[in-house]
Amino acid sequence: MKELCLSSVADTAIVTGGSGAIGSRLVRRLLGEGLKSVIVVDDLSSGHAWLLPRDERVRLVVADVCDFQQLDIGCQEPLVFHLAAFFANQNSVDHPLEDLHTNAQGTLATLIWARDHKASRVVYASAGCSIAGHGIDAPIREDMPVSLHLDTPYQITKALGEFYCNYFNEQVSTVRARFFNSYGPAEVPGFYRNVIPNFIRRALHGQPLTITGTGEETRDFIYVDDLVDGLVRAAVTPEVHGEAFNLGTGIQTRIVDLARMITKACNSKSSIEFAPRRSWDRSVHRQADIEKATRALGLRAAVKLNEGIERTVQWFLENRERIEDLEVAEATA
């Protein structure tokens, strides 16, 4: 495993989207690595301030990331993790203009600010689906050509963010981290949220778990803290300037097996039901090729899926009241 030394890179880190599931776990990791200051830029449209640790070194700036140039951040030469995004595929299909605003303009604004303030590096949160079109059964490699046959605005704007990173590479160091299916504590359920928190919520309520498709579809699920470790490694490894890395496990899991795993972890009697696949969802299998990330970053997916599910269910139970309040707020919005 490669040794990590964040303090040799920067005293301060900026995390856009830092109040989200991945961002808040990243903030905790950065504090644990001894950074003097972590500045979170988040408009709280999908993140939650209560996910952030109570630490005097954390400062939350509530703002649209597109307004980065007008913000009084007050630091030079920080490390920047750009996680702010309009999440995710279905949301972008329903609201493509909002997706373009946050994912494209927000990324461009972040890169301009980082260049002007001499950021030590920008680690950009891309997506495993950002370059690969549908119909790919083999593991997705970083060197695959960008497809012109992407399925959602979210995929398009995540790919656009990668183009912007490449454009700015001579002006500020960037690394592109392509997330596969992250899950874990701090991810709340909701209409536009991921399958695992929604399955857990339904299992805890004894409701049916609905799979959109046959259940034979597979995805590559990576525990949030393993993904965060990949982000930190991308930030501190000097020789990976300008590179892209898949952050996944390299393991495919059938969605029907995932559903069964969750009902077991929740001690639930929920049934499993099936519904037609969503019109845009034409990728039956998604799997990361992680050879490059393992070799260059020392990436290691340490948490097995069943263990990660159990940890996530425990987090749900510990935060059940807050999560139920969010469900009520979404239902009445």
Side-chain angles (χ1 to χ4, degrees):
M1 294 288 285
K2 294 178 180 292
E3 293 295 324
L4 304 182
C5 186
L6 273 172
S7 61
S8 67
V9 178
D11 292 329
T12 299
I14 295 174
V15 183
T16 71
S19 295
I22 300 171
S24 62
R25 301 293 284 193
L26 174 60
V27 169
R28 293 175 185 274
R29 172 65 184 271
L30 296 174
L31 295 175
E33 295 287 341
L35 286 195
K36 294 180 180 179
S37 175
V38 180
I39 301 169
V40 173
V41 178
D42 199 311
D43 66 2
L44 302 181
S45 60
S46 59
H48 305 283
W50 61 268
L51 292 174
L52 291 169
R54 294 184 179 180
D55 191 302
E56 63 183 7
R57 292 173 292 168
V58 178
R59 176 159 64 99
L60 173 60
V61 178
V62 180
D64 185 335
V65 69
C66 295
D67 297 329
F68 221 130
Q69 295 300 103
Q70 287 73 51
L71 301 181
D72 182 19
I73 300 295
C75 68
Q76 291 286 331
E77 302 181 9
L79 180 61
V80 178
F81 294 90
H82 179 47
L83 275 61
F86 189 77
F87 187 82
N89 284 300
Q90 184 64 58
N91 204 6
S92 74
V93 171
D94 294 343
H95 308 285
L97 288 175
E98 290 87 343
D99 172 85
L100 180 66
H101 172 81
T102 301
N103 291 359
Q105 186 177 339
T107 298
L108 183 56
T110 300
L111 287 165
I112 292 172
W113 187 94
R115 177 199 64 191
D116 294 347
H117 292 79
K118 298 179 172 56
S120 57
R121 175 162 287 172
V122 178
V123 180
Y124 168 63
S126 187
C129 60
S130 67
I131 66 161
H134 50 269
I136 298 176
D137 289 335
I140 296 171
R141 303 187 318 275
E142 291 89 347
D143 60 357
M144 283 182 171
V146 178
S147 173
L148 292 179
H149 301 284
L150 301 176
D151 296 321
T152 67
Y154 177 79
Q155 294 176 22
I156 294 168
T157 54
K158 279 297 179 183
L160 179 57
E162 293 209 30
F163 288 130
Y164 279 134
C165 286
N166 281 334
Y167 172 77
F168 276 87
N169 261 334
E170 294 183 3
Q171 305 167 63
V172 60
S173 179
T174 73
V175 176
R176 293 160 286 136
R178 294 174 180 166
F179 295 5
F180 280 72
N181 290 71
S182 174
Y183 73 98
E187 188 175 17
V188 299
F191 183 74
Y192 289 119
R193 301 289 184 167
N194 283 328
V195 62
I196 288 180
N198 282 323
F199 273 5
I200 291 174
R201 180 189 66 80
R202 296 187 69 83
L204 290 174
H205 286 83
Q207 299 169 338
L209 276 57
T210 302
I211 295 174
T212 54
T214 66
E216 296 297 316
E217 298 83 1
T218 64
R219 293 295 183 265
D220 186 334
F221 294 99
I222 180 169
Y223 188 67
V224 62
D225 292 345
D226 287 338
L227 186 142
V228 162
D229 186 63
L231 289 173
V232 173
R233 291 175 183 278
V236 303
T237 307
E239 59 269 22
V240 299
H241 161 75
E243 296 287 343
F245 294 97
N246 290 334
L247 299 187
T249 66
I251 300 170
Q252 295 187 74
T253 299
R254 296 191 309 167
I255 302 302
V256 68
D257 293 333
L258 174 71
R260 291 167 181 160
M261 194 179 301
I262 288 173
T263 56
K264 180 179 179 181
C266 294
N267 194 25
S268 172
K269 295 182 179 179
S270 293
S271 62
I272 297 175
E273 298 180 349
F274 298 89
R277 189 180 299 150
R278 293 162 293 187
S279 60
W280 55 265
D281 190 3
R282 292 180 285 177
S283 294
V284 178
H285 303 293
R286 288 284 188 194
Q287 178 186 4
D289 183 321
I290 60 170
E291 187 278 331
K292 181 181 177 182
T294 301
R295 169 175 44 82
L297 301 179
L299 177 70
R300 182 171 65 93
V303 179
K304 303 299 183 185
L305 184 57
N306 60 341
E307 179 186 353
I309 292 296
E310 290 173 359
R311 293 185 191 182
T312 307
V313 170
Q314 183 60 39
W315 180 86
F316 259 72
L317 295 173
E318 293 170 355
N319 294 275
R320 196 163 190 168
E321 186 174 338
R322 286 186 184 273
I323 294 169
E324 288 177 353
D325 287 345
L326 292 174
E327 292 172 5
V328 170
E330 182 177 274
T332 57

